């Protein structure tokens, strides 16, 4: 094993770098989750989460990976055999669809090229054609982490409204929440699925459902089997500041800290920081001469960028050389993009110089493998330097 000194660069699009402040908040004696101190923590966290999801309704916290919160969204709102509409925007959309099928839902899966987001016109067409209202829910991944494409959720909401269709709108924001603007309530989302290990800057281990009143009403009728994931006992216990089972106490301490960091910086500043780093990354890609996967500028992701390597080169060989020589982890190509693309995560706890180091690592990797490329780093540096006066130099520590 190679010994590296200095910090490892964890630039996969999740899990992301965990700030020292959050690590210190987690590193404390576990408290009694039924004791008098606990409700303060629970109320702080639940209130802070509502601000990040931009909702006044309930947010359910699970000790689980994001995948668990996908399941919770489905089993709380739907019944066996219900028809749902989903879109093949990438690897995560595909996994969520498979879960829906495994749970006994009838999924209509709209094909796509993995280079575009959910097409609002297709949503409108399918719903308009469903005059009997057999479609119970529309499932969309806000930020497709396998492709670096962000779907236009407000346009999807508008499409559902134009079709005057009662379907629920279920949205996965696991890799956008806390990095890209997302408004559960204003955008009329019924269930928003989130996870701890991406924009929220925590280790993996917590997942969330933000829930609308329409989704709560659907939950009264939904007949898919559920027990651990059932919202209603959790919502009742949360009113008293408790959970029905042992929560991930120390992770909640970390979450309280990460929510405080987002509040201190301000969500608008957080989103602007990610937008600027994403633009710098795309400028680097353009100057390297590497094509990015996303085709529509209105759908470029601000939390990660997926880049193709030129024909005849292997994206995983590039990732391997960068890991071995420069101690940086980049995201692998998933599903259809295996070997053809790699992903640079620029979400979460991240600043200008971390991005510079990341882009330098990629450029040195390209040189190591003899992949022809232009001067991407200079192009990104010029953009970062030119816009630095308008941006805070770094995220708060
Ligand atoms: C990471 C991710 C998931 C999966 O989350 P896990 O915590 O690995 O279960 C699902 N959807 C999206 C968009 C993701 O980025």
């Amino acid at each position: 094993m190679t010994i590296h000194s200095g910090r490892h660069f964890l630039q996969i699009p999740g899990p992301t770098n965990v700030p020292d402040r959050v690590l210190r908040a987690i590193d404390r004696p576990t408290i009694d989750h039924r004791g008098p101190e606990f409700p303060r923590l629970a109320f702080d966290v639940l209130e802070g989460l509502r601000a990040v999801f931009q909702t006044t309704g309930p947010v359910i916290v699970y000790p689980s990976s994001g995948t668990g919160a996908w399941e919770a969204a489905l089993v709380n709102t739907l019944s066996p055999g219900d028809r749902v509409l989903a879109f093949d925007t990438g690897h995560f959309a595909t996994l969520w669809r498979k879960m829906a099928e495994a749970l006994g839902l009838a999924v209509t899966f709209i094909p796509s090229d993995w280079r575009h987001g959910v097409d609002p016109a297709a949503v409108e067409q399918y719903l308009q054609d469903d005059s009997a209202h057999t479609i119970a829910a529309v499932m969309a991944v806000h930020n497709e982490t396998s492709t670096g494409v962000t779907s236009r959720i407000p346009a999807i909401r508008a499409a559902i409204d134009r079709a005057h269709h009662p379907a629920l709108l279920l949205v996965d924001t696991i890799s956008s929440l806390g990095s890209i603007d997302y408004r559960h309530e204003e955008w009329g989302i019924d269930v928003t699925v989130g996870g701890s290990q991406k924009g929220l800057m925590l280790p993996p281990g917590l997942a969330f459902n933000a829930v609308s009143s329409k989704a709560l009403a659907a939950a009264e009728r939904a007949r898919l089997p559920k027990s651990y994931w059932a919202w209603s006992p959790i919502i009742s216990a949360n009113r008293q500041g408790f959970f029905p089972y042992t929560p991930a106490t120390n992770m909640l301490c970390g979450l309280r800290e990460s929510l405080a960091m987002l509040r201190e910086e301000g969500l608008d500043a957080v989103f602007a920081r990610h937008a600027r780093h994403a633009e710098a990354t795309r400028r680097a890609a353009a100057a390297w001469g590497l094509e990015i996967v996303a085709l529509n500028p209105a759908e470029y992701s601000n939390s990660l960028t997926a880049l193709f390597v030129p024909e005849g080169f292997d994206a995983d060989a590039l990732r391997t050389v960068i890991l071995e020589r420069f101690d940086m982890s980049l995201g692998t190509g998933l599903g259809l993009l295996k070997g053809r693309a790699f992903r640079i995560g620029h979400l979460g706890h991240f600043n200008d110089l971390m991005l510079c180091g990341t882009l330098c690592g990629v450029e040195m990797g390209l040189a190591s493998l003899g992949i022809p490329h232009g001067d991407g780093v200079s192009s990104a540096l010029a953009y970062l330097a030119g816009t630095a006066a308008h941006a805070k130099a770094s995220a708060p520590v």
Side-chain angles (χ1 to χ4, degrees):
M1 211 186 98
T2 321
I3 304 295
H4 292 286
S5 68
R7 277 208 174 213
H8 174 69
F9 269 61
L10 182 68
Q11 296 316 138
I12 57 176
T16 64
N17 296 289
V18 181
D20 292 347
R21 252 178 86 170
V22 172
L23 291 173
R24 283 196 293 269
I26 294 170
D27 177 16
R28 64 180 61 160
T30 299
I31 61 170
D32 174 4
H33 62 287
R34 309 212 188 273
E37 278 181 84
F38 189 82
R40 187 69 262 150
L41 171 62
F43 289 136
D44 279 355
V45 160
L46 294 171
E47 186 189 315
L49 282 171
R50 282 194 289 274
V52 171
F53 280 93
Q54 307 199 42
T55 183
T56 54
V59 179
I60 322 286
V61 182
Y62 296 104
S64 88
S65 74
T67 302
W70 268 349
E71 179 160 338
L74 299 175
V75 297
N76 276 285
T77 56
L78 298 166
S79 297
D82 271 355
R83 222 179 131 201
V84 296
L85 198 59
F87 298 83
D88 188 10
T89 52
H91 184 70
F92 290 100
T94 302
L95 292 177
W96 201 12
R97 172 203 105 193
K98 286 187 178 148
M99 170 187 276
E101 285 170 347
L103 291 170
L105 299 167
V107 184
T108 302
F109 199 48
I110 316 305
S112 176
D113 60 358
W114 283 35
R115 304 191 71 177
H116 291 90
V118 175
D119 176 9
V123 174
E124 188 171 350
Q125 193 58 56
Y126 274 90
L127 294 183
Q128 220 134 41
D129 291 347
D130 177 38
S131 51
H133 293 170
T134 62
I135 296 172
V138 174
M139 295 161 57
V141 174
H142 180 217
N143 187 70
E144 193 23 279
T145 321
S146 61
T147 61
V149 173
T150 305
S151 283
R152 291 159 292 157
I153 300 299
I156 295 163
R157 173 77 261 168
I160 298 173
D161 293 345
R162 274 195 304 276
H164 300 290
H165 197 290
L168 296 166
L169 178 54
L170 316 180
V171 181
D172 169 348
T173 61
I174 295 176
S175 65
S176 51
L177 190 75
S179 303
I180 300 172
D181 194 11
Y182 181 83
R183 306 170 186 206
H184 174 86
E185 197 159 276
E186 186 185 319
W187 294 357
I189 315 304
D190 294 302
V191 187
T192 299
V193 175
S196 58
Q197 74 271 30
K198 300 185 186 181
L200 295 184
M201 309 177 283
L202 287 161
L206 292 179
F208 314 98
N209 277 177
V211 176
S212 73
S213 44
K214 186 172 157 190
L216 285 175
E220 309 259 311
R221 303 182 301 269
R223 284 177 292 102
L224 278 175
K226 60 182 172 293
S227 167
Y228 182 77
W229 303 115
W231 290 337
S232 102
I234 302 175
I235 292 174
S236 317
N238 281 176
R239 278 196 201 101
Q240 269 62 57
F242 295 105
F243 287 83
Y245 44 69
T246 316
T249 317
N250 289 54
M251 285 290 288
L252 296 177
C253 295
L255 177 58
R256 173 160 61 184
E257 197 65 26
S258 76
L259 292 168
M261 291 176 71
L262 291 171
R263 194 164 53 237
E264 287 163 23
E265 187 177 358
L267 279 184
D268 288 343
V270 170
F271 301 146
R273 173 163 58 81
H274 287 89
R276 185 166 159 272
H277 289 153
E279 175 61 24
T281 305
R282 289 189 294 267
R283 288 182 184 224
W288 283 327
L290 298 186
E291 191 184 354
I292 66 171
V293 174
L295 284 175
N296 177 359
E299 297 176 331
Y300 286 163
S301 171
N302 287 339
S303 56
L304 77 135
T305 303
L307 303 89
F308 286 110
V309 291
E311 207 70 53
F313 292 95
D314 176 4
D316 284 329
L318 175 66
R319 290 175 47 256
T320 301
V321 92
I322 290 170
L323 178 61
E324 284 172 355
R325 298 201 185 157
F326 311 114
D327 197 23
M328 173 162 72
S329 297
L330 294 170
T332 186
L334 292 169
L336 300 178
L337 299 172
K338 182 89 203 146
R340 298 167 57 212
F342 67 99
R343 298 169 299 144
I344 301 173
H346 34 73
L347 72 167
H349 187 60
F350 200 58
N351 64 27
D352 285 16
L353 294 188
M354 292 164 86
L355 178 61
C356 292
T358 301
L359 298 175
C360 285
V362 173
E363 192 162 306
M364 290 190 290
L366 293 168
S368 301
L369 277 188
I371 299 179
H373 63 277
D375 188 355
V377 166
S378 294
S379 175
L381 292 192
Y383 174 76
L384 288 174
T387 54
H390 313 292
K392 275 191 270 178
S394 62
V397 285

